[in-house]
Structures are given as structure tokens and as C-alpha cells.
């Protein structure tokens, strides 16, 4: 526990008195910004759990933590001011820039986009007090559970953070009832429960849930609100498809239950309508399944040139339907290490399949790959309960990096019609110098994600016809200048993404809002498709004053980039 960073408030920040006017959130220096006495009052209401948020690298330095600790998912989840993609802690655009990295020098450590204060809430009541306080004083708020967010949405400049990491309850039932209908076996989890704890607790019950591969992601945080994909989605659908109920503190501070019967409009929005835009989820209930054995199969493929990589990726596209009959889920990481060292790691999860059968399922693709001159190494399998095998990184994730993403859901039809185009696209991206392409195989013609298309929720329909979700990633060292960082962001949006978009054809193929470019030009259509208008209408009911605004989220077009002033 990093109690050391949880320094109780002993007085308000220095304030200069001027007003930005009613169209802006109240910030330090504004006349409406809460006085020290008011912050103290909030601190009493939450029983001393209001904390000053220290930039993560500074907190790290204070306790002498190591670089690997600073870059660990558990550290990032347990320090309020920390993000996996720590570039989002930085304010590159202020003059001078306000930055704080692990190797910062002397006193040069700025608050950046790190919140000012946090309510460290172990209960919904603390969240309610924080939300009421923020509404009353028109504060900028941030909501954070794990800090995994790739779009920088769980840290906000000059904000009060509603920190849900310590909402840790887990409870199972064999019959979850909504409106007198028995929805069967389910688990209710607090918003701070990481997947490691949830997979382990489910195992004890002989159950399994739909969850991702990174064990520090919070199932009942942003993950499910975005949609939530899993290696088991081809079998069981998206996390949002399996969500049965949410408990959520809405902008007026009320704790409401949203399910098919109660606040069903909010329930619809919380399943796919985007993270952080609806209120603070304190708990969510998910369907569970009897657990099962799986084989996890992994291998590394090394390629010597972008052209050879393109040929291998074309072969992969040709084989991508090989794994459908067993509903396998596949993760795929292509790293643009300096040639001759382009590396692809494949990790495929096969339910109810032996190691031998899994190897046989991969063999035709590997045969073609070898014929193209690429090297396959370290082919490995592990077989056991899904709960254990899915946790390939153990109880922590190594996640810390400067990173930005852009992505597209790739329709199955492209894989059927034009495998050459897919290969050429990868060649071009590698030649452009993009650092990494990640692909997650999520669905299939036979898959449950497609079959769940009749569920009425805010999940964009593009998920239902997608074969994969392809993510472009760019990274940079801490020493990059703000101008260099801006250039990489520009290139992601305007140089790399158009290559991927061209592959998907004329129509907008959609993108997954949790793993995406926060600068996505037409995010309303790209993330939410035909659901956007209804999402705006539901937001007007539950959050009429836009307390919960996040980058590229519903209603964010009404605000500046930092969500501090109305446009
Ligand atoms: C290493 C890694 C692996 C990943 N793997 C997968 C994967 O396999 N499948 C997948 O679908 N996604 C995956 N993701 C993406 C993941 O779904 C998103 O990062 C997601 O937003 C994480 O939610 P969180 O609450 O844990 O993170 P946070 O950063 O804490 O929050 C993310 C967003 O959700 C909001 N939020 C958090 N808690 C709450 C709450 N209680 N109430 C309301 N809003 C809240 C935040 O404001 C923010 O907008 C991965 C991300 C990383 C970094
Ligand atoms: C820190 O200071 C050293 C010595 O002045 C310099 O070489 C280095 O680049 C600085 N690091 C950062 C992150 O500013
Ligand atoms: C709202 O703020 C005012 C002062 O601005 C204060 O008197 C009042 O108690 C606050 N109410 C709540 C619910 O915090
Ligand atoms: C979770 O389960 C794994 C595998 O059984 C075990 O190694 C680990 O200690 C467990 N972790 C917790 C926190 O129970
Ligand atoms: C998983 O495999 C083990 C070893 O073969 C077996 O004992 C166990 O019953 C299996 N579990 C399930 C849920 O099928
Ligand atoms: C290729 O990458 C491996 C692992 O990172 C490294 O050991 C090796 O030196 C690299 N080779 C070249 C030619 O860059
Ligand atoms: C695994 O096999 C068992 C036994 O045949 C079956 O009951 C179960 O539904 C299967 N699970 C999955 C996820 O395929
Ligand atoms: C792989 O290729 C070899 C010949 O090079 C062939 O004998 C074998 O059957 C092939 N295996 C598969 C699974 O296609
Ligand atoms: C595949 O894409 C390439 C490149 O855009 C194009 O030239 C070709 O006509 C396409 N082929 C088919 C069958 O659509
Ligand atoms: C969707 O269709 C499937 C198969 O036809 C059916 O079993 C399921 O009940 C339907 N779900 C909804 C929400 O309509």
C-alpha cells in the first residue's frame, strides 16, 4: 500500500483572484473555487479520505520505487495520480510545459494533467459526497479505477478525482433476479476489482467471466462501458453483452440501480456508450459461466523486412478463419523493431482443446509462414483452467509507457475479399515507422459477438460484423520535446490512421472507444455509430450540466480539449 502518497489536506492551494466566467469549470484562483474550509468539510464527510494528488513520478521518488515498479499496472492502479500511459499525466501544451517523469530533474516536476485532489472512496457514500461537492462548486472531475486508459480520460487537469480503486467487493449468486426474471449465475463486483482478483475468485466458485488479458484492468470500470472484448468473446460475447446491472452515482449525487427494468435508458448507455460519461459506477453485475479448460498457444515470428512481414500478414489473413470452428480468441502483437528484426507474437486461446490439437490448428498458417522465409521460434503451450491461463502476466502487468493509439474494427468481409490489401497495409505501416500494430481477433461469422447483435445496447453495430480490432500504437522516450510529441500525434491521426482506414473501404468501419485515438476526427460516428443521438438525449437526462466529460466522449464536442471551458 502506498499510504505515504495519501497525504491529507492541510490547506488550499495559493489562490489568485480572477474569474473565468460561468462557462468554465471552477479552477484554483477563481473566486468560486472552494476555500480551504470547504475542502476540509468535504474531507470530514469522507472521513479523512480526501487526498492531495502527487504526480506519480514524484510519489515514486519519495518512496524510492524502482523503474519497474513505476511501470507496473499495480503501482499505477494504487497511486491516484498515475496512468499506464503516463504521457497523459503531462501537460505538454502549457507554457512552460508541466511535466513529471521517472527521471525528472531536481524540482522540475509539474502537476501537469494530474488531478489536484482525490476522494479515495471505499464506499458509494464517499463517491456521492464527492459528486455533490463537485456539482455544487462546478469543479472539473475525473473518474479513475485502474488508470489503464489509452485516451487520457481518467486523469484531468485541475480536477477533483473520484477514485474507485478501493471499491473491492465481489459477490456471486446462482440466480440473479431482475424484474422477477431469473438471469442465472452472476457476479457483482465493485469498480476497483481488477481482473486478477476476479478470475481468482471465480475459479474458487468453478466459474468464469468475460474479461481481457491485462489483469489490472477493472471489469466494472471503463472496460465494460466501452464494450469490453475478451479472448472468450467468440464464445460468450462482449463484456457489455454480459452486463446485467450497474450501480451508479449520477451527477446530482443520487445512487441509482440501472438494469433492464430500472433506469433502462442509462443501462442501455452504460453498455458501450463510452467510459466516464454517465456517472460514477460503483459496482456492476456480470453473467458468469461454468469454468472450462483451455490451451493457450504462443509463438514468435521474426521477419526481416516490411515486405516479408506484409507477405506473412497476408497469409495470416488467409488463415484467419481457420480458428473459427473452435471459437478461438487470438491476440497479435507486431513490433517494428529495426529490420531485420520485425517481430510478431501470437497468443491464441483455445477452449476445451488439448495442446496437441491447438498446435495442429496453428500448423497450416505456420507452414505458409515458414515457406515465406520467416522464422518461428519459441512455440509454447499451456493447458489448464481458463481462469489461470488467461492471466499470462501473473498478478501484475508491465504497462507504463508513453503511448497513443488509433484503431479500426476490421469487417470480416475484408478478410474474405482482399487479403493482398491487408498485407500491403501492414507493409506500408511498417515502412512509415509506426512502432507497433496490435490485433485482437474477436469475432467470427459463427461467433457470439455477431449473435449478440440483437441485444439493445449502445455497443456500436460495427462490432457485430468485425473480424478483428486492429490497433496502431506510437510511443516515445521521456526525453522527447513537446514539439516532437505533437508531431507524433499529428502523424498518428493524419498519416498512419489513413492507411488503416483505406484498408476498410469507403464506409466508416468504426473503432473501439477504449483503444483509440482521442483525436479521432469524427468520433461520434466512428465510436458510437447510429447510437450517438440517443446517447446525447440520455446524457441530457442524467448529466444535464456535463459534469462527466471525457475526451472524445458523448457531449465532449461542447467543451475545450481539457473539458475546462464550454465552447
Ligand atoms: C495493458 C492493457 C490491456 C488492455 N486489454 C484490454 C482487453 O483485453 N479488452 C478490452 O476491451 N480492453 C482492454 N484494454 C482497454 C481497457 O478496456 C481500457 O483501458 C479501459 O478504459 C480500462 O478501464 P479501467 O476502468 O480499468 O481504466 P481507467 O483508466 O481507470 O478508466 C478508464 C475510463 O473509464 C472511466 N471510469 C473508470 N472507472 C469508472 C467508474 N467507476 N465509473 C465511471 N467511469 C469510470 C474513466 O473515467 C476513464 O474514462 C486494455 C488496456 C490496457 C492498458
Ligand atoms: C536532467 O539533467 C541532465 C543534466 O543536466 C540532462 O542531461 C538530462 O537531459 C535532464 N533530463 C531531463 C529529463 O530533463
Ligand atoms: C454548496 O456550496 C455552498 C457554498 O458555496 C455551501 O454553503 C453548501 O453547503 C454546499 N452544499 C453542498 C451540498 O456541498
Ligand atoms: C490467484 O491464483 C493464482 C493461480 O492459482 C495464484 O498463483 C495467485 O496467488 C492467486 N492470487 C491471489 C491474490 O489470490
Ligand atoms: C480440467 O482438466 C483437468 C485435468 O485434465 C481435469 O481434472 C478437470 O476436471 C478439468 N476441468 C474442467 C472444468 O473441465
Ligand atoms: C533483434 O532483437 C533481439 C531481441 O530484442 C536482439 O537480441 C537482437 O540483437 C536484435 N537483432 C538485430 C539484428 O537488431
Ligand atoms: C467444454 O466442454 C464441456 C464438456 O463437454 C462442456 O460442458 C462445456 O460447455 C465446454 N465449454 C466450452 C466453453 O466450450
Ligand atoms: C506443412 O507442410 C508440410 C510440407 O512442407 C506438409 O507435409 C504438412 O502436411 C503441412 N502441414 C500442414 C498442417 O499443412
Ligand atoms: C484489393 O486491393 C487492392 C489495393 O487497393 C486493389 O488494387 C485490388 O483491386 C483489390 N482487389 C479486390 C479483389 O478487391
Ligand atoms: C437474440 O437471438 C438469440 C437467438 O435467436 C436468442 O436466443 C436471444 O434470446 C435473442 N436475444 C435478445 C435480447 O433478443
Amino acid at each position: 500500500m502506498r499510504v505515504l502518497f495519501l497525504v491529507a489536506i492541510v490547506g488550499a492551494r495559493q489562490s489568485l483572484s480572477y474569474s473565468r466566467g460561468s462557462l468554465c469549470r471552477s479552477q484554483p484562483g477563481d473566486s468560486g473555487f472552494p476555500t480551504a474550509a470547504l475542502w476540509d468539510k468535504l474531507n470530514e464527510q469522507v472521513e479523512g479520505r480526501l487526498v492531495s494528488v502527487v504526480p506519480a513520478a514524484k510519489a515514486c521518488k519519495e518512496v524510492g520505487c524502482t523503474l519497474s515498479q513505476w511501470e507496473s499496472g499495480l503501482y499505477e492502479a494504487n497511486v491516484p495520480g498515475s496512468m499506464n500511459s503516463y504521457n497523459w499525466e503531462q501537460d505538454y501544451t502549457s507554457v512552460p510545459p508541466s511535466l513529471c517523469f521517472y527521471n525528472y530533474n531536481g524540482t522540475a516536476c509539474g502537476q501537469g494533467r494530474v488531478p489536484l485532489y482525490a476522494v479515495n472512496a471505499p464506499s458509494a457514500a464517499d463517491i456521492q459526497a464527492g459528486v455533490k461537492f463537485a456539482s455544487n462548486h462546478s469543479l472539473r472531475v475525473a473518474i479513475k479505477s485502474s488508470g489503464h486508459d489509452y485516451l487520457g480520460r481518467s486523469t484531468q487537469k485541475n480536477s477533483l478525482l473520484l477514485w474507485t480503486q478501493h471499491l473491492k467487493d465481489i459477490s456471486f449468486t446462482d440466480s440473479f433476479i431482475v424484474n422477477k426474471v431469473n438471469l442465472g449465475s452472476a457476479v457483482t463486483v465493485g469498480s476497483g476489482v481488477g481482473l486478477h482478483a476476479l478470475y481468482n475468485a471465480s475459479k474458487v466458485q468453478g466459474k468464469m467471466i468475460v474479461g481481457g488479458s491485462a489483469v489490472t484492468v477493472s471489469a466494472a470500470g471503463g472496460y465494460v462501458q466501452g464494450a469490453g472484448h475478451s479472448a472468450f468473446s467468440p464464445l460468450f460475447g462482449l463484456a457489455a453483452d454480459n452486463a446485467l446491472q450497474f450501480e451508479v452515482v449520477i451527477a446530482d449525487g443520487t445512487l441509482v440501480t440501472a438494469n433492464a427494468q430500472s433506469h433502462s435508458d442509462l443501462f442501455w448507455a452504460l453498455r458501450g456508450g463510452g467510459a466516464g460519461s454517465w456517472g460514477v459506477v460503483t459496482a456492476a453485475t456480470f453473467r458468469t459461466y461454468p469454468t472450462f479448460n483451455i490451451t493457450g498457444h504462443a509463438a514468435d515470428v521474426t521477419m526481416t523486412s516490411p515486405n516479408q512481414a506484409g507477405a506473412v500478414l497476408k497469409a495470416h489473413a488467409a488463415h484467419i478463419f481457420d480458428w473459427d470452428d473452435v471459437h478461438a480468441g487470438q491476440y497479435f502483437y507486431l513490433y517494428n523493431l529495426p529490420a531485420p528484426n520485425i517481430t510478431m507474437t501470437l497468443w491464441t486461446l483455445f477452449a476445451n482443446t488439448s495442446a496437441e490439437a491447438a498446435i495442429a490448428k496453428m500448423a497450416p498458417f505456420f507452414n505458409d509462414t515458414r515457406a515465406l522465409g520467416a522464422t518461428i521460434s519459441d512455440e509454447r503451450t499451456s493447458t489448464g483452467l481458463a481462469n489461470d491461463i488467461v492471466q499470462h502476466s501473473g498478478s501484475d502487468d508491465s504497462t507504463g509507457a508513453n503511448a497513443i493509439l488509433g484503431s479500426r474494427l476490421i469487417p470480416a468481409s475484408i478478410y474474405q475479399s482482399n487479403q493482398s490489401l491487408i498485407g500491403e497495409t501492414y507493409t506500408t505501416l511498417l515502412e512509415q515507422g509506426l512502432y507497433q500494430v496490435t490485433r485482437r481477433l474477436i469475432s467470427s461469422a459463427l461467433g457470439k459477438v455477431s449473435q449478440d447483435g440483437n441485444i439493445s445496447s449502445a455497443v456500436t453495430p460495427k462490432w457485430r460484423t468485425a473480424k478483428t480490432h486492429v490497433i496502431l500504437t506510437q510511443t516515445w522516450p521521456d526525453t522527447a520535446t513537446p514539439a516532437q510529441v505533437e508531431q507524433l500525434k499529428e502523424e498518428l491521426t493524419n498519416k498512419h490512421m489513413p492507411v488503416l482506414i483505406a484498408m476498410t473501404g469507403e464506409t466508416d468501419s468504426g473503432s473501439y472507444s477504449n483503444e483509440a485515438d482521442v483525436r479521432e476526427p469524427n468520433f461520434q460516428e466512428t465510436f458510437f455509430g447510429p447510437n450517438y443521438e440517443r446517447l446525447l438525449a440520455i446524457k441530457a437526462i442524467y448529466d444535464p450540466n456535463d459534469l462527466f466529460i471525457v475526451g472524445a466522449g458523448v457531449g465532449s464536442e461542447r467543451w475545450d480539449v481539457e473539458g475546462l471551458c464550454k465552447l
Side-chain angles (χ1 to χ4, degrees):
M1 264 314 291
R2 298 173 201 276
V3 198
L4 269 180
F5 313 144
L6 309 181
V7 186
I9 300 264
V10 287
R13 281 151 199 269
Q14 194 71 26
S15 51
L16 303 162
S17 216
Y18 66 95
S19 174
R20 289 183 181 79
S22 59
L23 293 178
C24 291
R25 294 293 174 210
S26 179
Q27 295 174 64
D30 292 348
S31 54
F33 194 72
T35 59
L38 284 170
W39 284 109
D40 282 344
K41 210 172 138 198
L42 174 61
N43 191 30
E44 275 165 37
Q45 279 180 307
V46 299
E47 292 169 6
R49 286 185 291 264
L50 183 69
V51 297
S52 274
V53 185
V54 178
K58 193 172 180 185
C60 182
K61 199 154 274 192
E62 280 168 14
V63 295
C65 83
T66 63
L67 182 62
S68 69
Q69 283 168 331
W70 191 53
E71 292 184 343
S72 101
L74 279 179
Y75 176 84
E76 286 145 2
N78 282 295
V79 174
S82 185
M83 295 287 290
N84 285 209
S85 302
Y86 44 69
N87 46 300
W88 297 117
E89 298 166 17
Q90 321 302 329
D91 183 352
Y92 291 104
T93 58
S94 66
V95 184
S98 182
L99 313 174
C100 187
F101 292 107
Y102 182 75
N103 282 314
Y104 76 93
N105 281 346
T107 55
C109 178
Q111 192 75 13
R113 296 183 72 252
V114 173
L116 302 174
Y117 304 116
V119 173
N120 175 20
S123 76
D126 299 320
I127 296 289
Q128 290 179 279
V131 167
K132 280 182 193 157
F133 187 83
S135 278
N136 192 16
H137 299 287
S138 187
L139 297 177
R140 178 77 175 111
V141 300
I143 311 170
K144 176 187 164 184
S145 180
S146 73
H148 268 268
D149 203 61
Y150 284 119
L151 295 85
R153 300 172 299 179
S154 39
T155 188
Q156 309 289 353
K157 190 174 170 177
N158 286 345
S159 67
L160 170 62
L161 174 66
L162 305 164
W163 187 31
T164 64
Q165 178 60 209
H166 295 112
L167 295 162
K168 296 286 197 193
D169 289 348
I170 306 180
S171 67
F172 291 88
T173 177
D174 287 327
S175 45
F176 188 72
I177 313 279
V178 172
N179 197 18
K180 299 192 184 112
V181 178
N182 185 350
L183 300 175
S185 180
V187 61
T188 299
V189 280
S191 165
V193 175
L195 287 173
H196 171 63
L198 186 50
Y199 287 136
N200 270 24
S202 301
K203 178 182 164 181
V204 172
Q205 305 285 324
K207 293 178 179 180
M208 186 52 189
I209 53 115
V210 172
S213 60
V215 293
T216 52
V217 163
S218 300
Y223 171 75
V224 61
Q225 295 172 62
H229 63 71
S230 162
F232 308 111
S233 290
L235 279 165
F236 304 126
L238 299 166
D241 300 338
N242 286 281
L244 305 176
Q245 178 170 296
F246 294 88
E247 282 152 44
V248 47
V249 178
I250 58 173
D252 69 4
T254 317
L255 176 64
V256 304
T257 297
N259 58 33
Q261 179 190 24
S262 156
H263 301 287
S264 58
D265 49 358
L266 185 58
F267 182 53
W268 183 88
L270 283 163
R271 289 172 297 153
S277 301
W278 310 103
V280 186
V281 172
T282 56
T285 304
F286 298 96
R287 201 176 276 126
T288 64
Y289 297 89
T291 194
F292 46 93
N293 281 317
I294 68 172
T295 289
H297 174 287
D300 302 322
V301 182
T302 309
M303 295 152 290
T304 53
S305 71
N307 273 330
Q308 190 188 48
V312 169
L313 271 295
K314 180 185 170 187
H316 182 262
H319 284 284
I320 207 162
F321 298 98
D322 289 3
W323 308 298
D324 284 358
D325 58 345
V326 289
H327 304 288
Q330 186 176 74
Y331 297 86
F332 160 124
Y333 305 91
L334 180 66
Y335 295 96
N336 202 1
L337 302 176
N341 227 357
I342 299 169
T343 304
M344 174 168 76
T345 297
L346 282 169
W347 186 44
T348 314
L349 287 81
F350 294 93
N352 274 348
T353 304
S354 67
E356 295 69 27
I359 290 168
K361 272 289 188 191
M362 298 302 296
F365 165 58
F366 285 158
N367 254 16
D368 285 2
T369 301
R370 280 192 199 94
L372 291 164
T375 310
I376 296 162
S377 58
D378 204 10
E379 187 172 6
R380 53 210 186 265
T381 59
S382 46
T383 303
L385 282 181
N387 309 57
D388 294 330
I389 303 300
V390 73
Q391 302 190 55
H392 69 137
S393 60
S395 59
D396 197 356
D397 302 302
S398 177
T399 46
N402 292 304
I404 49 172
L405 271 53
S407 73
R408 279 295 179 277
L409 290 158
I410 311 300
S413 58
I414 309 285
Y415 286 94
Q416 278 147 349
S417 68
N418 203 336
Q419 292 143 11
S420 304
L421 175 62
I422 292 172
E424 286 160 22
T425 301
Y426 281 93
T427 299
T428 306
L429 289 167
L430 292 169
E431 282 172 348
Q432 283 185 342
L434 187 77
Y435 166 68
Q436 186 194 340
V437 186
T438 305
R439 182 209 303 249
R440 288 162 169 149
L441 186 64
I442 46 96
S443 181
S444 71
L446 301 168
K448 192 73 166 74
V449 177
S450 305
Q451 290 161 18
D452 278 348
N454 59 354
I455 293 175
S456 177
S457 76
V459 170
T460 175
K462 301 294 184 187
W463 272 105
R464 311 301 179 186
T465 50
K467 183 69 187 152
T468 61
H469 182 233
V470 172
I471 304 169
L472 310 188
T473 304
Q474 195 57 288
T475 66
W476 58 86
D478 295 354
T479 49
T481 64
Q484 288 167 331
V485 172
E486 178 54 30
Q487 191 188 337
L488 291 170
K489 289 182 175 181
E490 274 295 304
E491 285 176 0
L492 180 74
T493 309
N494 300 316
K495 182 175 153 193
H496 307 308
M497 279 303 294
V499 174
L500 185 62
I501 291 167
M503 183 176 108
T504 69
E506 290 300 308
T507 53
D508 191 329
S509 61
S511 169
Y512 174 31
S513 64
N514 274 345
E515 297 177 316
D517 182 3
V518 74
R519 295 184 177 185
E520 185 65 51
N522 185 16
F523 75 85
Q524 296 91 337
E525 172 68 24
T526 303
F527 294 169
F528 306 109
N531 297 324
Y532 198 69
E533 289 306 312
R534 184 166 178 211
L535 287 168
L536 278 176
I538 294 170
K539 187 163 178 73
I541 297 169
Y542 290 95
D543 184 19
N545 298 318
D546 283 351
L547 187 66
F548 304 111
I549 288 293
V550 295
V554 173
S556 62
E557 62 277 345
R558 298 189 281 257
W559 291 81
D560 66 14
V561 170
E562 293 295 351
L564 286 166
C565 291
K566 247 186 158 155
L567 298 175

